[in-house]
Amino acid sequence: MVSQEELIREARENGMELLPLDKDTYELFFGPQHMATENYSLILKLDGHRVVKAIANPGFLHRGFEKLAELRPWYTNIALLLRVCVPEPDVPEAIYSMAVDELMGWEVPERAQWIRTVVLEMARVTSYLFWTMGLSFKLGVYTAGQWAAAYRERFMALFEQLTGARVYHIYTIPGGVRRDIPGDKWLRQLKDTVEYVKNKLPDFDNILFENYITYNRLEGIGVMDKKFALAEGVTGPNLRAAGVKADVRRLDPYLLYPELDFEIPVLKEGDSLARALVRRFEIEQDLYILEQLLEMGPPDGPYKVEDPRLKALPRFKVPAGDAYAHVEATTGDFGAYVVSDGGNKPYRVQIRGPSISHGIRVIEQLLVGARIADVPVILMTLGNCPPDIDR
Amino acid sequence: MTLEKEENILRQILEKAPYAEGKVRRARRIEFRIPAERIREFLTLLKESNFETMMQITAVDWIKDGEIELVYQMWSYTHAVHAFVKTRIPREVEKAKVPSVKDIYPVAETYERDAHEFYKVYFEGNEKLEMPWILEDEDREAGVCHRKDFDMLNYVKRKYKILDRFEEDKEDYVI
């Protein structure tokens, strides 16, 4: 039998960094293969089942998208950057395209703007349903999770008809969208799906959001106050759950959002329950926005700009300059900063994922004092998407 | 569209910071250029002017000019304005230094670690820079992987030992 000291000494010799151990505490490597962390790694120092110290270690995915983007032509980067955050791949497409549109000086046609708005809202609903699935699985309420997956599948089928792909759409491109909507039948199907999912939301309330287990597990866990959230750069639903009424769709309007009517749900508590409920209210608002857009109907006209430069895609050049575009994603404020030196490849692309603010410093502070069973719940209600950090 | 709001904010900040140059780029976007040594002073001023949150710090390697440009991107919920704060520092690793702003905006610590790891910009006063972060030790030692003069293709070939394998018909694989 090898003693613990020997094991630690051996690990140190092999270059592994361990926290200094004393008698009462022990160390746990939580992730990256743990189901609850979603390829995100946490090093927890535990006293019994209480977390004494947490260190976030994001370098597991290790993909270097930003460097790769500098080596590829402008258009092919869409197929790369959308892989930043899987549950909502339309957001990186949209921000990159919006930044390139600004550099090119293009005014995107109305029909393309309508389609982009519909796609972004569909992506929000699918992402929230995916999140509902994750939360319910982590709480042990498996039924709600399976429903959410099934309803998400309906939207996936619509995405497949629209773009030809279920998950990675590669649909929003600089200057508009890649192809037109399939026709009136698709619009009718989308309308039916929106109505169907809307009618099913009370079931989620009964089984998950108003469930006594959920309240017991989420209330008062991982509390984040307004001042702390603002100082740490937390955005999106997490900030709204802490009492700040902030939404990029209203503050920095893009696409058709100035014409649409929707509410911004705000709660004051800042705990895990508030973050979960804000997301629950937002599903309803997103479905309401989709209803309005369908009632408005797609405007006539072209679905992308008519520009001769679009005909030679590999030699497509973008004027020198820099632009920043951001949209409201389900995880928070998602932005892209694009620099061009006038060539056929971007000079620098930086994706600003929302998780980079709440996924490192905030988690390290929120987890202190939490029970080990609460760690997955806190990670889930923050909407942590590890690829945002490790781009 | 009128840009009155943006011009007012710009004027108020420039009055207090005569060393800065600024312009309104478009609605809800303003830009400043400042010398690197006054970054702490200027960001303190921005925080007092209701720019509550830092969105990110971007390092851009302008290899032709021999400089690295740091873009501090600030967002104000009060004004709904995004501010680019640009500053340039020399490209040499020994001289690429700038004071840390993590006590003014705590979230800056993460972005400073990012810029340090990938662009070798040293932020004086941020003690977390020496800690391992995204890159593995081997890659950190190899150098500055996101800078423009780093030959990533050769590095990857050497690291995964694929250079020898393609040695015979190397010319076919030149990209």
Side-chain angles (χ1 to χ4, degrees):
Chain A
M1 183 85 187
V2 191
S3 72
Q4 198 191 8
E5 282 78 23
E6 274 178 58
L7 277 174
I8 291 167
R9 188 171 48 77
E10 201 178 303
R12 288 224 169 94
E13 276 168 10
N14 289 330
M16 284 176 75
E17 286 286 325
L18 291 172
L19 298 173
L21 288 174
D22 51 49
K23 278 177 192 167
D24 300 329
T25 58
Y26 63 98
E27 205 176 60
L28 182 72
F29 281 57
F30 198 79
Q33 274 82 10
H34 192 285
M35 283 181 292
T37 55
E38 295 168 2
N39 53 43
Y40 187 69
S41 172
L42 283 168
I43 302 168
L44 303 176
K45 194 176 176 185
L46 298 163
D47 180 3
H49 71 155
R50 292 270 169 196
V51 179
V52 183
K53 192 179 179 188
I55 294 176
N57 176 16
F60 178 66
L61 293 162
H62 204 47
R63 303 178 296 181
F65 280 171
E66 286 171 4
K67 183 70 181 171
L68 270 172
E70 292 171 12
L71 308 172
R72 298 155 61 102
W74 286 97
Y75 257 72
T76 50
N77 274 331
I78 303 262
L80 175 78
L81 294 174
L82 87 167
R83 282 166 170 79
V84 167
C85 194
V86 183
E88 210 177 5
D90 301 282
V91 166
E93 288 178 26
I95 48 180
Y96 178 75
S97 304
M98 280 156 67
V100 177
D101 288 343
E102 194 186 322
L103 285 172
M104 295 295 288
W106 278 337
E107 188 67 44
V108 179
E110 276 181 18
R111 190 178 178 86
Q113 290 200 16
W114 186 88
I115 300 173
R116 278 186 185 186
T117 320
V118 169
V119 166
L120 276 177
E121 284 305 315
M122 280 169 71
R124 278 176 71 84
V125 179
T126 45
S127 175
Y128 275 136
L129 289 173
F130 192 71
W131 171 85
T132 312
M133 184 179 83
L135 179 73
S136 62
F137 280 16
K138 265 140 227 179
L139 293 172
V141 192
Y142 291 94
T143 317
Q146 283 156 357
W147 288 349
Y151 303 154
R152 179 172 178 264
E153 197 56 39
R154 289 173 174 256
F155 281 102
M156 291 308 211
L158 288 169
F159 267 130
E160 195 175 355
Q161 282 185 39
L162 180 66
T163 67
R166 273 165 44 82
V167 181
Y168 295 124
H169 305 137
I170 320 179
Y171 185 64
T172 310
I173 55 167
V177 290
R178 188 158 49 85
R179 64 186 205 196
D180 208 350
I181 44 175
D184 290 343
K185 195 185 165 194
W186 185 82
L187 291 174
R188 275 201 306 278
Q189 281 179 356
L190 178 59
K191 202 173 179 183
D192 291 345
T193 309
V194 168
E195 206 179 319
Y196 180 82
V197 175
K198 199 176 179 182
N199 292 337
K200 295 288 180 189
L201 283 180
D203 295 347
F204 281 112
D205 291 347
N206 288 337
I207 202 166
L208 181 68
F209 292 108
E210 288 171 3
N211 192 334
Y212 147 87
I213 300 172
T214 312
Y215 270 72
N216 268 348
R217 288 294 305 277
L218 298 187
E219 205 166 13
I221 301 294
V223 183
M224 183 161 65
D225 67 7
K226 191 173 166 178
K227 204 178 156 195
F228 173 76
L230 277 175
E232 294 289 352
V234 175
T235 51
N238 301 333
L239 188 63
R240 291 196 279 280
V244 182
K245 193 172 182 177
D247 191 314
V248 183
R249 291 175 294 178
R250 280 277 179 259
L251 290 174
D252 191 2
Y254 51 94
L255 302 177
L256 291 182
Y257 288 108
E259 297 167 26
L260 295 166
D261 167 47
F262 59 94
E263 280 173 30
I264 304 168
V266 183
L267 290 174
K268 280 180 195 149
E269 290 78 13
D271 59 352
S272 295
L273 184 66
R275 293 196 285 271
L277 289 179
V278 162
R279 285 179 166 86
R280 155 69 185 84
F281 294 135
E282 289 203 353
I283 303 180
E284 212 170 304
Q285 292 302 320
D286 293 334
L287 291 173
Y288 177 49
I289 291 174
L290 276 174
E291 276 179 351
Q292 286 177 58
L293 283 165
L294 286 169
E295 204 168 299
M296 212 186 274
D300 294 332
Y303 58 89
K304 63 178 173 187
V305 289
E306 282 155 1
D307 194 310
R309 283 175 289 185
L310 274 176
K311 286 191 176 134
L313 288 183
R315 293 194 302 278
F316 172 73
K317 284 182 180 168
V318 171
D322 58 340
Y324 177 77
H326 59 158
V327 305
E328 183 73 26
T330 53
T331 40
D333 187 342
F334 223 115
Y337 181 62
V338 179
V339 183
S340 169
D341 65 342
N344 65 343
K345 292 169 189 161
Y347 195 76
R348 172 90 165 100
V349 178
Q350 191 173 24
I351 300 284
R352 189 253 177 223
S355 299
I356 198 162
S357 59
H358 62 240
I360 301 181
R361 283 176 53 86
V362 171
I363 276 183
E364 284 177 358
Q365 292 168 65
L366 284 193
L367 288 184
V368 173
R371 293 175 305 163
I372 190 166
D374 294 334
V375 176
V377 168
I378 294 176
L379 278 169
M380 198 66 224
T381 53
L382 280 171
N384 194 31
C385 187
D388 281 0
I389 304 165
D390 189 8
R391 304 169 299 269
Chain B
M1 194 186 272
T2 165
L3 299 172
E4 206 175 313
K5 180 181 77 175
E6 288 80 0
E7 273 157 10
N8 276 340
I9 297 168
L10 191 79
R11 201 179 55 244
Q12 280 168 15
I13 292 171
L14 288 183
E15 271 170 17
K16 290 177 197 159
Y19 51 84
E21 290 170 36
K23 65 174 181 190
V24 176
R25 289 174 50 148
R26 67 169 177 89
R28 297 182 296 280
R29 297 279 188 281
I30 54 177
E31 183 181 315
F32 297 100
R33 285 183 186 276
I34 52 160
E37 60 273 12
R38 309 195 81 149
I39 187 77
R40 287 181 57 83
E41 194 184 328
F42 190 73
L43 290 194
T44 314
L45 175 64
L46 276 191
K47 189 157 195 185
E48 285 160 8
S49 315
N50 287 327
F51 280 83
E52 297 96 348
T53 303
M54 178 181 275
M55 299 313 277
Q56 62 181 1
I57 301 174
T58 312
V60 188
D61 184 9
W62 292 105
I63 189 164
K64 279 180 197 157
D65 307 344
E67 282 174 334
I68 282 187
E69 186 174 64
L70 290 173
V71 190
Y72 292 74
Q73 305 189 24
M74 323 299 292
W75 173 250
S76 162
Y77 288 107
T78 318
H79 310 303
V81 166
H82 185 91
F84 302 85
V85 181
K86 294 185 176 176
T87 181
R88 289 205 173 204
I89 51 173
R91 222 179 147 266
E92 291 89 39
V93 177
E94 310 84 55
K95 290 184 194 164
K97 282 180 185 165
V98 74
S100 166
V101 292
K102 69 165 198 162
D103 49 334
I104 306 167
Y105 289 96
V107 68
E109 187 186 270
T110 318
Y111 305 128
E112 285 175 359
R113 283 169 92 176
D114 189 279
H116 174 69
E117 193 143 281
F118 296 114
Y119 283 86
K120 276 281 183 292
V121 180
Y122 194 79
F123 294 87
E124 286 161 329
N126 188 342
E127 61 276 359
K128 284 215 172 172
L129 295 187
E130 301 309 322
M131 281 174 67
W133 201 46
I134 286 180
L135 293 184
E136 291 155 20
D137 292 350
E138 195 185 345
D139 297 332
R140 278 169 81 92
E141 278 162 24
V144 194
C145 72
H146 274 204
R147 284 196 178 194
K148 290 282 180 186
D149 54 353
F150 183 73
D151 191 350
M152 188 148 71
L153 202 63
N154 260 328
Y155 175 68
V156 171
K157 279 180 177 174
R158 265 205 317 282
K159 184 175 173 185
Y160 299 102
K161 299 186 179 63
I162 49 180
L163 195 63
D164 311 341
R165 212 180 293 163
F166 297 141
E167 197 67 36
E168 293 158 16
D169 43 13
K170 205 163 82 181
E171 282 165 15
D172 298 347
Y173 290 90
V174 172
I175 294 171

